[in-house]
Amino acid sequence: MNATPAADVRGAEEAEVRTGGCLCGRIRFTTRGPAVFPHTCVCRHCQKLGGAPVMWWVGFETVTWTGEGGEPTWYETFEGEAKRGFCPTCGSRLAAIDSDISETGINVTALDDTSGPDLVPIHASFRHNAVPWLPSVPETEHSTAG
């Protein structure tokens, strides 16, 4: 996940609590607060971690790990700077913690409901690394949630 841009791009505040988890259900979580900086990322790390050409991220001020599996297993992608969380049982990619931002990044596809207008990506990180056949997110940097 990347640092939140200087401009306030917080999403709609109607969805203050969300739930989600991994594919096998051992790791569950609850988020609190507005969705912050929904974006896609096509950096090589996200591509390899996600096994796909793009990952979809959003930040939340508070994430509470609630399932029987506790917190995800953390893999330090950049020593002392960034780590990514996944379920050690099913391999689902769930979260990101970056030292330069206060929110916990959540892989949007780990949420139980991904339909919120405040989850629509407003930015595409590392677009120079994108596969040429996949259309990119328009560079809006503004919330589409209204």
Side-chain angles (χ1 to χ4, degrees), residues 1-5 36-37 39 59 81 96-105:
M1 202 173 108
N2 295 47
T4 304
V36 177
F37 193 52
H39 68 284
E81 294 179 30
I97 296 175
D98 292 325
S99 63
D100 60 346
I101 60 172
S102 60
E103 296 88 13
T104 298

Side-chain angles (χ1 to χ4, degrees), residues 70-91:
E71 279 198 37
T73 296
W74 296 99
Y75 174 74
E76 199 165 17
T77 50
F78 298 100
E79 190 174 339
E81 294 179 30
K83 57 187 178 177
R84 306 295 181 248
F86 64 95
C87 175
T89 302
C90 67

Side-chain angles (χ1 to χ4, degrees), residues 24-46:
C24 71
R26 289 185 42 82
I27 297 179
R28 297 288 302 159
F29 61 85
T30 300
T31 68
R32 297 201 185 284
V36 177
F37 193 52
H39 68 284
T40 61
C41 185
V42 296
C43 76
R44 292 295 296 153
H45 285 258
C46 281

Side-chain angles (χ1 to χ4, degrees), residues 3-146:
T4 304
D8 183 9
V9 292
R10 293 182 187 267
E13 307 230 358
E14 72 261 6
E16 291 291 324
V17 175
R18 286 189 165 94
T19 58
C22 66
L23 182 61
C24 71
R26 289 185 42 82
I27 297 179
R28 297 288 302 159
F29 61 85
T30 300
T31 68
R32 297 201 185 284
V36 177
F37 193 52
H39 68 284
T40 61
C41 185
V42 296
C43 76
R44 292 295 296 153
H45 285 258
C46 281
Q47 288 175 338
K48 286 187 178 276
L49 286 168
V54 63
M55 287 185 82
W56 181 19
W57 295 101
V58 67
F60 292 99
E61 290 179 26
T62 304
V63 176
T64 305
W65 304 103
T66 60
E68 69 180 59
E71 279 198 37
T73 296
W74 296 99
Y75 174 74
E76 199 165 17
T77 50
F78 298 100
E79 190 174 339
E81 294 179 30
K83 57 187 178 177
R84 306 295 181 248
F86 64 95
C87 175
T89 302
C90 67
S92 295
R93 281 29 179 183
L94 301 167
I97 296 175
D98 292 325
S99 63
D100 60 346
I101 60 172
S102 60
E103 296 88 13
T104 298
I106 291 293
N107 187 337
V108 176
T109 58
L111 292 170
D112 293 332
D113 181 1
T114 62
S115 65
D118 57 338
L119 299 176
V120 174
I122 61 170
H123 177 79
S125 298
F126 300 95
R127 68 177 64 241
H128 65 277
N129 198 53
V131 294
W133 49 265
L134 185 65
S136 186
V137 170
E139 195 68 56
T140 62
E141 296 280 333
H142 300 291
S143 174
T144 58

